[in-house]
Amino acid sequence: MAERNIWALLDQHLVDAAVLRRTLHQQPELSGDESLTRDLVLEALPGTATPTKVAETGAVLRIGGPGPCIGIRGEMDALPVTERSGVPWASRNPGVMHACGHDVHLAALAAVARTVQDIGVPVPLLVVLQPREETYPSGAKDIAEHGVLDTEDCAVMIGAHLQPALPAGVVACVPGGVNASSDEFEIVVRGESGHAAYPHLADDSLLALAETVVALQSVVSRSVDPMRSAVVGVSSFQAGQAANVVPDVARATGTIRALAPETRALLHERIVAVSENVARAHGCEAKVRITVGEPVLENDPRLVEMISAQLTAQNIPVSTDLRSLGADDFSYFAERMPSTMMFVGSEGNTSLHAPTFLPTDTDLRAVAQALLAGYLGATTLLTGTPSRRNTE
């Protein structure tokens, strides 16, 4: 039988993957409602194994025999965005759009799964169809805590995400922390209401919170080592209803990002201390509630090295520079096993989550190549021998 190239097999499966991508794009589903998306992808996967339903609308499907397996994550949810792409296969679900490329990731995963099946599944593959990447509660966290990954003996996890900030075709495969931890905070300041003409008879919660917001801008610059990256940002502020009334309650919310666990803990402490003490100085009381989100996403250095070698062998440009204070709940998998999240440059000229974001078929191929390189690199990690690039 003539020798067949793995990468050529992938290209063959990308024809059907492009059709799947358009189908998924036309029928986007919000976080927690991804049942149709899940079923469409499962229908496109090879094999006859029965999938395991997890995290309400998610599923995992094993391809191959027993033993340690390689997981590849595909996130399924769309966003509450009204599409303005103008393509015939635009979203048919009003106000919902695949504006983050998850439709591309899923279709690429299906193509990789069929390619792995074609080459005889040298190491079992676990397709992980994850709900709720865009919202809390995290779908990845639910899957990680479910126990199914232990039951399936999942030893490695691979992911890839489109990133328009990179040149088209470039894959960022970076060791260590590549995405930040992500937490949210709410500050509620309570004072004493009164007539705005007699401010000395009131305890102004709005003023106390306004000064708190300003003071929080110095938390990173004066409490965090300048060589470490972090963000404390206030994104909403509500207080009062009438122009002539000093409000008794003021509320603000915001985000906390850090690339190191110790920085994360420090920011939590400083936000509470600043809020409580500034409010106290104005005769008010502040209560701070911090909602803990995703941990830092740490790419395994050995796995990165092996995946990068696979990409380089295919003349795919590899970047080692991209780190961001964005967040992805893929980090819950990375906490439990060697994992790598890659970022793939896109031909699209708009940003993620924009109503005009529309990756191309070339982008689909680039994501699929990254995921296949991830599978082959992980195979090397688990078996100790380089993966064959060709098979009969």
Side-chain angles (χ1 to χ4, degrees), residues 2-349:
E3 190 177 66
R4 297 180 299 170
N5 184 277
I6 293 174
W7 301 90
L9 288 172
L10 178 66
D11 281 340
Q12 293 175 20
H13 289 301
L14 283 171
V15 176
D16 289 337
V19 176
L20 174 62
R21 182 274 173 108
R22 283 163 172 72
T23 300
L24 294 171
H25 192 87
Q26 282 186 316
Q27 303 177 70
E29 296 176 297
L30 293 174
S31 304
D33 293 326
E34 307 97 337
S35 298
L36 174 61
T37 301
R38 176 198 64 207
D39 293 344
L40 287 170
V41 178
L42 288 173
E43 288 175 6
L45 295 176
T48 58
T50 301
T52 300
K53 303 293 179 65
V54 292
E56 297 178 357
T57 55
V60 301
L61 178 70
R62 187 181 186 92
I63 299 172
C69 65
I70 298 166
I72 301 183
R73 189 281 295 263
E75 64 276 59
M76 300 188 294
D77 49 341
L79 288 158
V81 172
T82 299
E83 183 165 354
R84 297 205 310 267
S85 67
V87 296
W89 39 276
S91 170
R92 295 176 179 174
N93 188 355
V96 183
M97 177 191 176
H98 271 297
C100 201
H102 294 182
D103 53 334
V104 175
H105 306 163
L106 290 167
L109 174 51
V112 170
R114 289 199 166 275
T115 302
V116 169
Q117 178 80 12
D118 282 352
I119 64 174
V121 197
V123 174
L125 169 64
L126 188 70
V127 174
V128 179
L129 301 180
Q130 181 211 308
R132 288 180 276 111
E133 190 275 327
E134 298 286 359
T135 63
Y136 295 132
S138 157
K141 186 173 187 288
D142 285 352
I143 292 173
E145 294 178 349
H146 178 275
V148 67
L149 300 180
D150 295 329
T151 301
E152 294 288 354
D153 198 7
C154 187
V156 177
M157 189 69 73
I158 302 297
H161 202 298
L162 284 167
Q163 177 49 268
L166 287 168
V170 172
V171 177
C173 191
V174 183
V178 293
N179 268 171
S181 59
S182 177
D183 307 316
E184 296 179 355
F185 65 86
E186 177 189 56
I187 305 168
V188 177
V189 175
R190 297 186 182 278
E192 186 69 32
S193 183
H195 197 297
Y198 310 102
H200 60 294
L201 301 179
D203 294 321
D204 193 341
S205 65
L206 190 156
L207 177 61
L209 185 55
E211 292 200 3
T212 298
V213 171
V214 173
L216 289 176
Q217 307 310 304
S218 67
V219 166
V220 172
S221 67
R222 291 299 177 267
S223 299
V224 176
D225 184 338
M227 300 304 292
R228 295 183 178 273
S229 298
V231 165
V232 172
V234 177
S235 302
S236 74
F237 191 115
Q238 298 94 32
Q241 294 180 328
N244 62 348
V245 178
V246 175
D248 59 348
V249 179
R251 175 180 177 271
T253 63
T255 189
I256 309 166
R257 304 295 175 100
L259 276 177
E262 56 271 24
T263 305
R264 184 187 200 184
L266 173 64
L267 294 176
H268 288 193
E269 294 174 3
R270 293 297 298 144
I271 289 170
V272 172
V274 168
S275 301
E276 291 180 347
N277 286 299
V278 171
R280 189 176 299 116
H282 287 274
C284 298
E285 179 184 41
K287 296 291 185 182
V288 180
R289 179 175 61 87
I290 295 177
T291 301
V292 176
E294 299 93 333
V296 177
L297 200 170
E298 294 274 353
N299 279 348
D300 183 82
R302 297 171 301 158
L303 188 54
V304 164
E305 180 181 358
M306 294 167 187
I307 295 172
S308 296
Q310 293 287 338
L311 293 166
T312 301
Q314 297 304 312
N315 297 315
I316 297 170
V318 178
S319 169
T320 58
D321 295 331
L322 183 69
R323 302 178 193 274
S324 89
L325 292 181
D328 193 300
D329 64 0
F330 184 86
S331 56
Y332 288 112
F333 302 128
E335 276 191 321
R336 292 171 174 258
M337 66 191 74
S339 302
T340 292
M341 167 63 76
M342 293 166 280
F343 299 96
V344 182
S346 170
E347 290 187 333
N349 57 4

